[in-house]
Amino acid sequence: MFIQRLLPAVLAASIAHSALAAPEGDISTPMLSRCAGKAGLETRQSDAAFGLLALDGLPWLSIERTDEAVGVQPIMTTVTGTGSRHRRNGTSVPFRFTCVLDANGQALMFYASHLMPKLGDALPPATIVSGAATLAEKTPLPRGVELQIQLYDIAHSAEGELLAEQVVRSGWQVPIPFSLRLPGKFSPEGRKLVLTARLIASHQVQYRLPGPRILTDRELLAPVVLVLEKP
């Protein structure tokens, strides 16, 4: 049997490592990035109409440790969460996902179950910070490039509290859309919200925000445009 463990308990140390003070920053767990890579590869192979895939990190992610196996391959970790696939015509399909990883942290399998809103199947209520990331210079994107974006509250410390994050895998041209989901009862009162973002290709930061982007209350209700530059 799997023993479910919520992400904050499992990843406290790695979250601290990914604070704003870090030179490049990082998502709270590299597992999410590896799952996104596996999902992006399978999506491109199965349906060319989908060119972009997004996986939500905190606070919607959970992790289980296990000793099960896929065939002869032992599984060490199961990651579950939410995400969405975006078609080239601009429409998107939300889903819940399960991703399994081996002892080396490599993703072995990714399974997504599309939601069925007509049957009452929907994601939990959320406050959404949406927008798009673009580049300061015009250049084509490498295939399978990854956008890592995070929302922090820095009202009480320079390191900040990580509130939400997303990994977006894309083979399209910029801008790359993102959508950070916060709990439905989220209130910005007493908070100082900032966004960080970086574009990863071949495990290297290619572009990033030159500094944390402060969000105004108005920008919580309207799409935000982030301009990334070479580090």
Side-chain angles (χ1 to χ4, degrees), residues 150-217:
Q150 294 172 303
L151 177 66
Y152 285 90
D153 176 14
I154 59 170
H156 304 293
S157 70
E159 291 79 11
E161 175 192 359
L162 179 57
L163 301 177
E165 60 186 344
Q166 190 174 65
V167 167
V168 184
R169 299 279 298 193
S170 174
W172 297 350
Q173 61 187 20
V174 290
I176 301 175
F178 64 85
S179 183
L180 294 167
R181 300 177 63 247
L182 294 158
K185 296 182 179 180
F186 174 82
S187 171
E189 186 175 352
R191 299 180 184 272
K192 185 176 182 181
L193 303 178
V194 299
L195 285 170
T196 67
R198 63 207 65 85
L199 204 61
I200 309 292
S202 300
H203 307 290
Q204 299 293 323
V205 177
Q206 306 294 323
Y207 296 87
R208 65 194 298 257
L209 279 177
R213 164 68 182 275
I214 298 175
L215 285 183
T216 64
D217 291 347

Side-chain angles (χ1 to χ4, degrees), residues 63-216:
I63 291 176
E64 299 173 351
R65 304 294 184 182
T66 182
D67 57 0
E68 301 291 329
V70 174
V72 298
Q73 191 73 264
I75 300 172
M76 296 299 294
T77 310
T78 300
V79 179
T80 58
T82 60
S84 58
R85 286 190 173 106
H86 298 252
R87 299 187 182 94
R88 295 182 183 275
N89 64 7
T91 60
S92 62
V93 179
F95 58 77
R96 296 184 183 89
F97 74 86
T98 299
C99 175
V100 297
L101 300 97
D102 63 16
N104 296 319
Q106 300 304 310
L108 299 176
M109 183 182 71
F110 182 92
Y111 173 75
S113 175
H114 290 170
L115 304 184
M116 294 183 285
K118 292 183 179 180
L119 299 179
D121 185 20
L123 296 178
T127 298
I128 298 175
V129 176
S130 63
T134 189
L135 304 182
E137 59 185 50
K138 292 185 178 180
T139 183
L141 289 178
R143 192 172 184 85
V145 71
E146 179 175 299
L147 173 68
Q148 297 181 357
I149 184 160
Q150 294 172 303
L151 177 66
Y152 285 90
D153 176 14
I154 59 170
H156 304 293
S157 70
E159 291 79 11
E161 175 192 359
L162 179 57
L163 301 177
E165 60 186 344
Q166 190 174 65
V167 167
V168 184
R169 299 279 298 193
S170 174
W172 297 350
Q173 61 187 20
V174 290
I176 301 175
F178 64 85
S179 183
L180 294 167
R181 300 177 63 247
L182 294 158
K185 296 182 179 180
F186 174 82
S187 171
E189 186 175 352
R191 299 180 184 272
K192 185 176 182 181
L193 303 178
V194 299
L195 285 170
T196 67
R198 63 207 65 85
L199 204 61
I200 309 292
S202 300
H203 307 290
Q204 299 293 323
V205 177
Q206 306 294 323
Y207 296 87
R208 65 194 298 257
L209 279 177
R213 164 68 182 275
I214 298 175
L215 285 183
T216 64

Side-chain angles (χ1 to χ4, degrees), residues 1-34:
M1 295 291 291
F2 289 168
I3 301 175
Q4 185 171 12
R5 301 181 182 179
L6 296 178
L7 185 62
V10 177
L11 301 170
S14 59
I15 291 172
H17 175 72
S18 66
L20 284 172
E24 297 294 351
D26 200 355
I27 51 174
S28 65
T29 168
M31 296 177 191
L32 183 63
S33 179
R34 290 164 185 165

